[in-house]
């Protein structure tokens, strides 16, 4: 498999796991630059700001046409990246857009709410209450993104090939697990 998509909850270590995996594999990591590329293609940079604004603090609400153009541009970029291969894609619905891609592994990184709150509070230097508010807003935003643009449930387990709970699995073990799945799949393809 030459494409890994990672869906993650805020505070689950999903981005760090994706970053570490990309480094270990020598793959390209794609995250926010994908958003910027797609927004430029769609001619709607304000859409990128709205989507990047995970907590909806900016309150940007562009037109439905610009949103649709943006989503189509994101999907086009995701398919381009998949054709190029050797890429780890964090977020943007890659598990749905590329669900028919035979050489893609779709990973979901999760953790219990209390673990996520503690991590976000520590990493951002905020209170547990503020961390909880950020997590709830992030989860709501991601859930709405999937509902609005894909009429799908972000939490649907069948969208993923591998779900890792980082409550008791540290980021290195998670990267090893994903790497092992990729290695095993390559052996099957070669045999």
């Amino acid at each position: 498999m030459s494409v890994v998509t990672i869906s993650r909850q805020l505070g689950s270590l999903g981005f760090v796991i994706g970053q570490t995996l990309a480094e270990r594999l020598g793959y390209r990591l794609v995250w926010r630059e994908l958003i910027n590329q797609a927004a430029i293609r769609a001619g709607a940079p304000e859409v990128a700001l709205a989507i990047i604004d995970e907590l909806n603090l900016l309150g940007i609400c562009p037109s439905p046409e610009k949103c649709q153009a943006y989503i189509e541009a994101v999907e086009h970029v995701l398919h381009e990246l998949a054709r190029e291969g050797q890429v780890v894609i964090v977020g943007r619905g890659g598990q749905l857009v590329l669900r028919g891609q035979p050489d893609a592994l779709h990973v979901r990184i999760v953790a219990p709410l209390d673990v996520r709150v503690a991590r976000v509070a520590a990493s951002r230097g905020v209170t547990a209450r503020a961390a909880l508010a950020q997590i709830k807003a992030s989860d709501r935003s991601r859930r709405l993104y999937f509902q609005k643009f894909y009429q799908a449930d972000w939490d649907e387990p069948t969208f993923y090939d591998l779900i890792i709970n980082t409550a008791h699995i540290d980021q290195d073990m998670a990267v090893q697990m994903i790497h092992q799945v990729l290695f095993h799949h390559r052996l099957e393809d070669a045999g």
Side-chain angles (χ1 to χ4, degrees), residues 1-6 15-31 33 81-90 98 102-107 175 178-187 189:
M1 293 187 183
S2 65
V3 178
V4 179
T5 67
I6 295 186
F15 180 76
V16 175
I17 289 167
Q19 188 175 38
T20 305
L21 179 68
E23 289 170 8
R24 187 168 296 169
L25 294 171
Y27 282 14
R28 178 176 169 201
L29 176 71
V30 177
W31 185 46
E33 82 260 14
L81 290 166
R83 278 191 297 277
E84 292 169 12
Q86 297 191 339
V87 66
V88 174
I89 301 168
V90 178
L98 301 175
D103 64 340
L105 177 69
H106 305 294
V107 180
V175 169
I178 299 166
H179 191 266
Q180 184 64 33
V181 170
L182 292 169
F183 179 74
H184 181 72
H185 189 270
R186 285 186 190 136
L187 288 177
D189 287 347

Side-chain angles (χ1 to χ4, degrees), residues 4-20 22 27-39 48 51-54 70 73-74 77-78 81 87-94 124 138 142 145:
V4 179
T5 67
I6 295 186
S7 170
R8 81 272 184 229
Q9 298 173 319
L10 180 61
S12 68
L13 303 177
F15 180 76
V16 175
I17 289 167
Q19 188 175 38
T20 305
Y27 282 14
R28 178 176 169 201
L29 176 71
V30 177
W31 185 46
R32 292 195 189 224
E33 82 260 14
L34 170 69
I35 296 166
N36 294 333
Q37 288 175 18
I51 300 297
I52 287 170
D53 180 25
E54 305 259 347
Y70 168 80
V74 167
V77 171
L78 286 171
L81 290 166
V87 66
V88 174
I89 301 168
V90 178
R92 292 312 111 205
R124 297 185 176 183
S138 175
R142 292 168 199 241
Y145 180 88

Side-chain angles (χ1 to χ4, degrees), residues 105-120:
L105 177 69
H106 305 294
V107 180
R108 169 85 176 200
I109 308 295
V110 300
L113 186 59
D114 61 326
V115 172
R116 295 167 59 205
V117 167
R119 287 178 182 159
V120 170

Side-chain angles (χ1 to χ4, degrees), residues 117-118 121 126-133 135:
V117 167
V126 297
T127 66
R129 187 177 195 171
L132 177 61
I135 289 168

